[in-house]
């Protein structure tokens, strides 16, 4: 089993930055692609970013490209998402996920086998 816990969410103002993290335990996550998704109230869960198992390739949603940066530290079984220049439309619960395919960068949430419980990110205008 894989357990993942997100942290670092909070309430910030437009233009501010946040860094959210996801710590994994159980099976080693270093062989898995990992991703971030978000879900706003009343909306579907959508792709934000993904990083392959080696940390050598990343993928971003168009809406966050250039503002968010995904990274990982396999020695610490931790993945990060740096959120810069935040906008009110970034308000959502942010979830981390792991996919057993090591070099895939799927954007479809159904391709990910393991999920964290989410952390709330709220941006005030």
């Amino acid at each position: 089993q894989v357990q993942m816990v997100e942290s670092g969410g909070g309430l910030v103002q437009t233009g501010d930055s946040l860094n959210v993290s996801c710590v994994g335990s159980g099976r080693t996550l270093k062989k898995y692609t990992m991703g971030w998704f978000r879900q706003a109230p009343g909306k579907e869960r959508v792709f934000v970013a993904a990083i392959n198992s080696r940390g050598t390739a990343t993928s971003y949603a168009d809406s966050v490209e250039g503002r968010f940066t995904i990274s990982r530290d396999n020695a610490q079984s931790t993945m990060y998402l740096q959120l810069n220049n935040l906008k009110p439309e970034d308000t959502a619960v942010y979830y981390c996920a792991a996919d057993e395919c090591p070099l895939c960068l799927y954007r479809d949430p159904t391709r990910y086998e393991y999920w964290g419980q989410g952390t709330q990110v709220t941006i005030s205008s």
Side-chain angles (χ1 to χ4, degrees), residues 12-14 17 40 46 55 57-58 62 65-66 73 75 95 99 106 110 116-117:
V12 298
Q13 295 183 336
T14 298
S17 298
V46 297
T58 58
D62 290 345
E65 180 84 52
D73 181 344
Y95 297 91
D99 175 10
Y106 294 123
T110 66
Q117 84 290 345

Side-chain angles (χ1 to χ4, degrees), residues 63-107:
S63 60
V64 306
E65 180 84 52
R67 299 190 298 122
F68 292 8
T69 303
I70 189 172
S71 61
R72 65 190 297 164
D73 181 344
N74 284 341
Q76 301 295 324
S77 292
T78 302
M79 175 178 63
Y80 304 96
L81 186 67
Q82 177 67 37
L83 301 79
N84 295 330
N85 190 22
L86 284 161
K87 305 174 181 181
E89 52 264 40
D90 295 318
T91 294
V93 177
Y94 283 71
Y95 297 91
C96 65
D99 175 10
E100 292 181 351
C101 177
L103 299 179
C104 302
L105 294 173
Y106 294 123
R107 299 188 173 211

Side-chain angles (χ1 to χ4, degrees), residues 20-76:
V20 294
S21 60
C22 172
V23 179
S25 61
R27 294 182 185 176
T28 177
L29 293 179
K30 66 180 181 181
K31 296 182 180 180
Y32 298 168
T33 288
M34 297 187 72
W36 287 99
F37 292 79
R38 67 186 182 186
Q39 187 167 19
K43 297 188 177 181
E44 294 184 347
R45 191 170 300 188
V46 297
F47 172 79
V48 175
I51 186 167
N52 70 0
S53 60
R54 302 171 186 170
T56 56
T58 58
S59 177
Y60 295 93
D62 290 345
S63 60
V64 306
E65 180 84 52
R67 299 190 298 122
F68 292 8
T69 303
I70 189 172
S71 61
R72 65 190 297 164
D73 181 344
N74 284 341
Q76 301 295 324

